[in-house]
Structures are given as C-alpha cells and as structure tokens.
C-alpha cells in the first residue's frame, strides 16, 4: 500500500504561523503515540552534502526531538532512520543508494523500523521512482520543500501502515520558527536564503531547491542572536548565492553589517558568493567590520572564458581577477578559497591549463575540486563529452599538485605571525587543541580544555601544507 501526497506547483511562499502550529500539533500526537506504546523512540539522522543540508539536518533533529525521539549515533538501534541526501554529484548519489540498499537487512530484522529519505535526491522524479520500485523497505520519501511537514509525515507513516511519498512540485517555501538541534559546537550555520535562479548548465541545485527566496532580516538576526546566546562563536551565513540576498529591502552587504553589529565576540562568515553578483559594497562591508572573517569563498569553476560561457556562469576570467584584486586592496590579508570543475564537457587540455594559470595567479588557501559529473535534466549532461574519465583524473591530479604548492606557500607565510584564533576543541594529539583562523586555516597548538570556545592569540611556529602549528601567546 502506498500514499502519494504533495502540493501543486507555485511560486515560493512563506509557511504561515498557523501551518507551523499545526505541525507542532502533529508532533505532539507522535509523542503521545510513543508514550502509549511505553517507549522512548530513537532517531538517527545522516546528512550528506553541503552546509545547507547540514543546516536542514539540524532542523530535522529539532523536529524529531519535539516528537519525543531521542537522537542516536547508532543507526542499528534506531526506530527512525532519516537520510538527508545530496544530488550534486553522481558519486554522492551512489553512496546514498549503496547505504540505503544496505538497510534492507536491518528492516528485515526490525519490521517496525521506519526508513525515511529526504533532500535533493528525493526531489528528482527518477530517483523517487527508483526508490518506489526497487527499495520497498523505505517507508517515507519527501522532497526539499516538505522539511517543516516532517511531524505530519511521520505521523502518517506510523499510523496509516502505508508507504508515504511526498514530493512537492512548488518553487519552494520559507518556514520560520522550527526547532533546531545544533551540532556544530562553537560553529553555527545560518541560512539567509534558499534556492537558486542561476541555472549553471552543470548544476542540479535550481531544479531540486527551487527559486531564490530570502528570509526577513529580522528573523535572521534573531536566530543569530540566539546562536550567540547558545555559545556559537563562528557563524556562517548560508545561501547558494548570498550576493543576491534581498530581504526587507536589505541587500547582502547591509545584512553583513547588521549581523556584525550584534553584541559579543564572534566571527561572521558566509558562503557561497557568486562572482557575477559579488559587489565592491560587500567587500567594503567585510573590510570595515572587524567581526567579518578575512575569508572569501568565491568559486570560479574554470579559468577559461569559453568554458565559463558554456557553464552559464555570467562572468569572465578578467572580471574574477578584478574582484580578487579589489578584495586584496581592501583586505591585504584576505584568504581566498574556491570551487573548480575539471573536465566540463568539451573542455580541452589547453583550456584546463587556463584554470591552472588562474590558480597560480590567485594563490588560493584551499580549493574544492570536482571532476564534472553529468546530472540528469541539466543542459551539460546532454553536451558532447569526448575526454575520458581517466584523462580528467590526470588533469585533476595536476590541479591538486599546483594547489598543494600554493597552499604550502600560504601556510609558510603564516609562520612567525601572531593570529587570533577560535579554539574549537581538542586535537587528535593528546594535550593539543584545534582552532581556526579568521582566514579559515586550521591551527593546532598545545593547551588545556579551558581554552575551548574562546578566542586566543597563537604564535604560528610551523607550517604543514594545509594546516599550521603554533603555541599560545599568553598575556
Ligand atoms: N552555489 C554555489 C556556487 O555557485 O558556487 C555552489 C553550490 S554547489 C552545491 C557546490 C559546488 O559543486 C559547485 O561550486 C561546483 O564546483 C560543484 N558542482 C556542482 N555541480 C557539479 C557537477 N555536475 N559536476 C561537478 N561538480 C559540480
Ligand atoms: Fe548551482 Fe550555479 Fe546555483 Fe551555484 S549558482 S547552486 S553552481 S546553479
């Protein structure tokens, strides 16, 4: 038996207070149901992919706790398993499918176990269809726009005895006032907008996350304030393209200034900035706000203008380099990181060399590097792609070698400097701590647990390729 629900298509919309309240009532009913059964149920949530998914995962956990579930890190013990999936690359998708397949045996041993799948993969029709046909042990499937309706979906799954498929075809929602269980320690993720309108030709995100929609600044600042009250010291504002934020008449540069004006000692970061919309106003706001991290994640994807055009990125190599120059004029110590795609369909080795030369020219602190992965339904998946996977892997190795040199140079430049560092926790090595610089470089130094969660001064003494080591500069 199976039940398919979901709302009709439509523009992005705000979930009303009444709807959120109604979900709270469903949550109370789930809780009562478990109380009747005389059991404290356990829930396991696994999140794949980007920080937006991590942030959604924190809200799923909040809702599950409200439904009376206790969170567990052991999926074998759980009564409810939720995989919050990622569709950006095939590799991530295959990993999810493999792990879902492996749950078959657990379900056979525990027939009452509810296995639920959500997130970007489930928003794709063909994936949901495959789950429907070939993974009968999965009891609940829902897409990215149904996050706030988890209590209702869980209740239906528990009471109807049917599989529930809920794949909303709307352009997306904004749901405020959901409970959150944060698991980033002193780091916290704060979505400022959802969805994407850019339709880069390789990317599935606009199809699975809906249209751009921004939260009201008041709601964002309130949540930031609550995070700071709860001990978060490093906040990352999240959006697929934060530069197109528009909320309550405010642009992103203004939002950054407002967030930095909140009281307390903290660092403010954001991701991701799309180069086509990155403004001098934003860079100036960063430069003028002490709490804004000296770190800019600015994905360039390719150093070739022809490839950038094919990707529909809407900027040129020259415009990208000009942004980097402006950022460095305003903030000489800024640390730049980026995303790169290797082997876009039709990319030649000569064009790939332009990516390498851009990497050398900019001197990034670190890079997220990806081999092009065709995504069903995107224009790039239909483009001729004559270069073999093996050849692309060779290009990627070349890129990684160049980046390793750049990263080593940047960390070597840090030796001898005294840096302000947020101590995030214990390092693997006994008696050592791990921290993060404003530029997003990891630093390890000896010290006791009393420093965790505090900003400290650390003298950098040694550079490894990607991280540095140091010692506390005690006052
Ligand atoms: N919105 C962000 C932006 O525009 O930079 C990026 C979001 S995407 C989830 C993260 C990164 O995944 C992208 O910057 C891109 O480098 C990579 N990516 C996206 N689609 C890809 C694909 N089909 N194949 C390989 N890498 C991909
Ligand atoms: Fe994907 Fe481009 Fe949107 Fe980023 S800006 S999420 S890469 S479509």
């Amino acid at each position: 038996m199976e039940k398919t629900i979901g709302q009709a298509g439509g523009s992005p919309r705000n979930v009303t207070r009444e709807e959120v309240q109604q979900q709270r009532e469903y949550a109370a009913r789930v809780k009562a149901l478990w109380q009747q059964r005389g059991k404290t149920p356990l829930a396991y949530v696994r999140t794949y992919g980007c920080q937006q998914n991590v942030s959604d995962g924190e809200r799923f956990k909040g809702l599950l706790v409200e439904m009376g579930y206790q969170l567990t890190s052991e999926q074998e013990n759980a009564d409810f398993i939720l995989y919050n999936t990622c569709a950006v690359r095939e590799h991530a998708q295959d990993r999810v499918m493999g792990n879902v397949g492996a749950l078959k045996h657990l379900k056979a041993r525990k027939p009452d176990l509810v296995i639920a799948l959500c997130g970007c993969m489930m928003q794709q029709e063909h994936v949901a269809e495959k789950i429907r046909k070939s993974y009968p042990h999965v009891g609940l499937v829902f897409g990215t726009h149904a996050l706030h309706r988890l209590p209702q979906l869980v209740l239906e799954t528990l009471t109807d005895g049917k599989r529930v498929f809920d794949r909303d075809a709307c352009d997306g929602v904004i749901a405020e006032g959901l409970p959150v269980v944060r698991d980033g320690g002193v780091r916290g993720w704060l979505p400022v907008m959802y969805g994407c309108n850019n339709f880069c030709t390789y990317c599935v995100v606009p199809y699975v996350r809906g249209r751009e929609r921004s939260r009201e600044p008041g709601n964002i600042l309130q949540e930031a304030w609550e995070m700071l009250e709860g001990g978060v010291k490093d906040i990352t504002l999240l959006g697929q393209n934060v530069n197109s934020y528009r909320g309550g008449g405010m642009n992103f540069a203004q939002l950054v200034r407002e967030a930095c004006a909140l009281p307390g000692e903290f660092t403010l970061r954001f991701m991701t900035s799309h180069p086509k919309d990155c403004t001098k106003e934003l860079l100036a706001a960063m430069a003028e706000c002490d709490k804004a991290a000296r770190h800019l994640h600015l994905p360039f994807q390719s150093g070739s203008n022809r490839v950038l055009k094919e990707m529909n990125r809407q900027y040129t190599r020259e415009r990208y380099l000009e942004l980097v120059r402006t950022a460095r004029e305003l903030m000489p110590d800024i640390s730049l990181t980026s995303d790169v795609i290797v082997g876009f369909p039709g990319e030649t080795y000569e064009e790939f060399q332009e990516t390498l030369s851009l990497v050398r020219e900019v001197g990034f602190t670190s890079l997220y590097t990806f081999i092009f992965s065709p995504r069903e339904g995107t224009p790039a998946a239909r483009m001729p792609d004559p270069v073999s996977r093996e050849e692309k892997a060779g290009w990627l190795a070349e890129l990684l070698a160049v980046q390793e040199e750049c990263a080593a140079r940047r960390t070597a430049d840090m030796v001898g400097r005294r840096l302000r560092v947020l101590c995030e926790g214990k390092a693997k090595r006994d008696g050592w701590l791990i921290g993060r610089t404003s530029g997003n470089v990891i630093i390890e130094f000896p010290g006791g647990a009393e420093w965790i969660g505090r900003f400290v001064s650390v003298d950098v003494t040694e550079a490894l390729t990607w991280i540095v080591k140091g010692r506390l500069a005690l006052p």
Side-chain angles (χ1 to χ4, degrees), residues 196 198-200 202-203 205-206 240-241 274 301 313:
C196 181
N198 291 312
F199 290 94
C200 300
Y202 50 81
C203 185
V205 170
Q240 291 302 342
N241 175 11
H274 193 306
Q301 313 296 1
R313 288 292 287 180

Side-chain angles (χ1 to χ4, degrees), residues 87-88 120 123-124 144-145 169-172 194-213 240 312 375 377-379:
V88 171
C120 294
Q123 199 65 33
Q124 302 175 100
T144 53
H145 309 315
C170 77
D171 276 343
Y194 306 98
C196 181
N197 288 352
N198 291 312
F199 290 94
C200 300
T201 53
Y202 50 81
C203 185
V204 78
V205 170
Y207 304 91
V208 294
R209 284 274 176 187
R211 298 289 63 74
E212 272 176 7
R213 50 209 186 271
Q240 291 302 342
N312 190 31
R375 304 285 63 216
T378 62

Side-chain angles (χ1 to χ4, degrees), residues 419-464:
L419 298 175
R420 183 170 166 271
V421 166
L422 173 60
C423 182
E424 292 183 353
K426 288 184 180 170
K428 280 198 190 122
R429 186 166 161 195
D430 244 6
W432 283 63
L433 299 168
I434 192 160
R436 184 179 304 269
T437 68
S438 175
N440 210 32
V441 175
I442 296 296
I443 180 161
E444 291 187 354
F445 50 96
E450 69 274 17
W451 300 107
I452 295 172
R454 290 163 66 179
F455 284 95
V456 290
S457 291
V458 181
D459 291 326
V460 181
T461 52
E462 186 186 347
L464 308 179

Side-chain angles (χ1 to χ4, degrees), residues 58-126:
E58 294 180 337
R59 282 167 168 77
F60 287 129
K61 287 181 185 173
L63 288 165
L64 284 162
V65 167
E66 199 160 286
M67 287 180 252
Y69 285 86
Q70 204 173 304
L71 300 172
T72 174
S73 52
E74 312 281 330
Q75 75 171 356
E76 283 70 23
N77 299 337
D79 302 284
F80 183 83
I81 294 179
L82 177 64
Y83 284 1
N84 179 20
T85 64
C86 168
V88 171
R89 282 171 298 279
E90 200 172 359
H91 178 67
Q93 200 151 308
D94 290 348
R95 217 154 51 96
V96 172
M97 286 309 214
N99 293 339
V100 175
L103 288 176
K104 198 169 147 191
H105 305 293
L106 194 58
K107 174 75 179 171
R109 269 195 284 129
K110 296 174 67 174
D112 290 338
L113 168 68
V114 174
I115 299 171
L117 305 179
C118 66
C120 294
M121 266 173 78
M122 300 307 129
Q123 199 65 33
Q124 302 175 100
E125 182 67 42
H126 69 280

